[in-house]
Amino acid sequence: MANGFASFHKTTATLLVLLFAVTVSQACDPSPTTASGWRAPQGPFCSGQLIFEDNFDYLDRSVWEHENTVGGGGNNEFQWYSGSDRNSYIKDGRLVLRPTLTADEFGEEFLSSGTINLWEQDDFNRCTDHPDWAEQIMGCYRQGSPEYILNPVRSARLRTHNSFGFKFGKLEIRAKLPAGDWIWPALWLMPKEDYYGTWPRSGEIDLMESRGNRELWQGDRNIGVKQASSCLHFGPSWDYRHYLCNSDTREGLYYFFHNYQLIWTEYVIQFAINDQVYHTITPYEGFWKLGGFSYNPWEGATLMAPFDKEFHLLLNVAVGGDYFPDDAWNPHPKPWYYGQSTAMTSFWNARGDWYSTWGEEAAMEIEHVRVWAL
């Protein structure tokens, strides 16, 4: 009798658990979002579920891998990315990414006579570039000379390549942008894997890019710190590619925090600031048509290809490089020109002009990073 009573209650408990699971399942609107990496929760996900969050109570370097490279990101930038806590740190519950002068750490003579060999560093400072790519852009080894100085600025680029990536969802990064001549902040995403091939075949999503110059004008447009831009980059190869960009102009990007947002679905990609959408991209016939290519490099994939695979997050502050046009007006003229082999030397020689514009406002500050399932 006692055994029968226990069996009855065990069966009843099992039925209640199953009933609860069915109820929860019915209450959950399934999401097409996927995520991977050791920091990602187990899917499948419910619509609206928070799947990644960092409020920067501390800097978790296992989540945010620091890149180490002097290669200039393939855009001829002037910074040396490192894991130094002078360039990335937590202050007042915010992640701070601040560019500093290389000469302040290593001396000015180092720029013209020193050697940077990131292959010989410890694991924390070892070069993070792929060897083939590093060879192309001199990303891991450089020798300075009076004509071709070493990277005059140190800065930081952080990524979640191993810890977190996602496909489809809503991303929000709350940030205050840096101000200072020739500073280039970016919040962006790259593929977790080169599923369709190397850049730009597998795509690039730029959530936010800006220029730190307070008074950088191209015609009647301020293209400096009053402008934030978003872009998609894609195409069959580096010399046969397309980009779709749009910009939002507003005051206060460098002295107020704003929410930079990406809404990425199976059918459309949207960019917004503070819930105001300013850039919508819909690939009605596929991105190969949108890009005007003569053939479809993503044949057999979805219409969203290459933006139908998981991407990871990147946060960085660059300095100089190809993002600054030669034909723009600045109170202190741009000290280098596009394609100049000695650009870093010219930039450094003009430091009396640009460095005076940096100050405390030269850092990007980030309050939080959040990702929700669709």
Side-chain angles (χ1 to χ4, degrees):
M1 188 72 175
N3 289 340
F5 183 78
S7 177
F8 170 78
H9 276 273
K10 184 177 181 180
T11 302
T12 302
T14 302
L15 290 173
L16 287 174
V17 170
L18 290 173
L19 179 61
F20 177 76
V22 170
T23 302
V24 171
S25 177
Q26 289 176 342
C28 175
D29 185 10
S31 169
T33 299
T34 67
S36 64
W38 65 264
R39 184 67 162 66
Q42 186 70 39
F45 306 117
C46 295
S47 179
Q49 180 179 341
L50 184 65
I51 61 173
F52 181 88
E53 180 177 29
D54 199 329
N55 296 307
F56 297 110
D57 298 318
Y58 66 100
L59 177 52
D60 190 337
R61 289 174 176 265
S62 64
V63 174
W64 298 100
E65 178 192 5
H66 284 62
E67 296 192 38
N68 296 299
T69 176
V70 290
N75 299 296
N76 301 304
E77 303 148 30
F78 304 152
Q79 76 286 335
W80 168 0
Y81 284 133
S82 80
S84 170
D85 56 13
R86 295 165 64 104
N87 304 116
S88 59
Y89 53 90
I90 301 297
K91 182 179 180 180
D92 300 328
R94 297 163 181 168
L95 172 64
V96 180
L97 303 182
R98 178 179 297 281
T100 60
L101 301 184
T102 304
D104 286 347
E105 290 185 68
F106 300 93
E108 190 170 340
E109 185 178 342
F110 174 77
L111 298 178
S112 58
S113 61
T115 299
I116 299 174
N117 188 348
L118 299 181
W119 292 125
E120 294 184 349
Q121 301 298 313
D122 56 30
D123 289 343
F124 184 72
N125 296 295
R126 188 173 173 80
C127 192
T128 51
D129 287 339
H130 186 280
D132 292 341
W133 177 236
E135 186 176 353
Q136 291 182 49
I137 62 173
M138 297 175 63
C140 302
Y141 181 88
R142 289 189 179 188
Q143 288 184 298
S145 70
E147 185 177 10
Y148 300 98
I149 67 166
L150 297 172
N151 306 53
V153 175
R154 300 255 283 175
S155 194
R157 182 160 115 175
L158 284 59
R159 64 186 181 187
T160 64
H161 183 266
N162 295 319
S163 61
F164 178 78
F166 75 104
K167 177 184 71 176
F168 307 140
K170 179 180 178 181
L171 164 66
E172 178 178 279
I173 302 179
R174 182 168 178 80
K176 182 169 66 173
L177 304 188
D181 283 4
W182 320 119
I183 296 176
W184 176 6
L187 311 170
W188 51 307
L189 303 92
M190 286 290 282
K192 282 207 72 177
E193 305 294 338
D194 287 334
Y195 184 86
Y196 295 111
T198 56
W199 189 90
R201 203 177 182 97
S202 292
E204 174 183 330
I205 303 173
D206 297 334
L207 171 64
M208 186 289 305
E209 291 183 290
S210 188
R211 303 175 182 92
N213 304 56
R214 296 173 180 84
E215 297 294 336
L216 186 65
W217 294 84
Q218 198 169 46
D220 60 354
R221 289 188 308 128
N222 185 314
I223 63 168
V225 77
K226 294 182 181 180
Q227 183 185 86
S229 299
S230 60
C231 289
L232 295 183
H233 296 266
F234 54 96
S237 62
W238 68 269
D239 57 351
Y240 188 33
R241 64 185 191 272
H242 191 69
Y243 60 88
L244 297 170
C245 299
N246 200 9
S247 300
D248 184 85
T249 300
R250 60 178 68 199
E251 298 288 339
L253 295 179
Y254 71 96
Y255 48 86
F256 293 126
F257 282 88
H258 294 277
N259 295 328
Y260 298 93
Q261 298 155 324
L262 167 71
I263 302 94
W264 176 20
T265 81
E266 301 163 282
Y267 311 103
V268 67
I269 293 177
Q270 293 184 312
F271 298 93
I273 299 178
N274 301 331
D275 297 318
Q276 297 177 342
V277 174
Y278 70 94
H279 192 193
T280 299
I281 301 167
T282 307
Y284 296 103
E285 299 180 77
F287 276 96
W288 75 280
K289 277 280 191 178
L290 212 54
F293 304 128
S294 59
Y295 67 97
N296 184 0
W298 308 288
E299 187 71 41
T302 72
L303 290 179
M304 285 298 290
F307 304 104
D308 59 352
K309 302 295 178 183
E310 291 184 1
F311 280 60
H312 68 281
L313 310 173
L314 297 100
L315 319 170
N316 70 269
V317 173
V319 175
D322 300 339
Y323 193 50
F324 294 89
D326 288 345
D327 62 352
W329 181 89
N330 192 69
H332 297 296
K334 181 183 171 185
W336 78 98
Y337 59 85
Y338 182 86
Q340 180 183 354
S341 62
T342 56
M344 282 197 283
T345 305
S346 296
F347 173 74
W348 178 244
N349 289 340
R351 61 190 178 279
D353 294 333
W354 53 262
Y355 192 58
S356 63
T357 70
W358 284 21
E360 285 300 309
E361 294 175 335
M364 178 162 65
E365 298 183 30
I366 301 172
E367 281 195 349
H368 67 242
V369 177
R370 294 171 185 160
V371 180
W372 296 268
L374 286 178

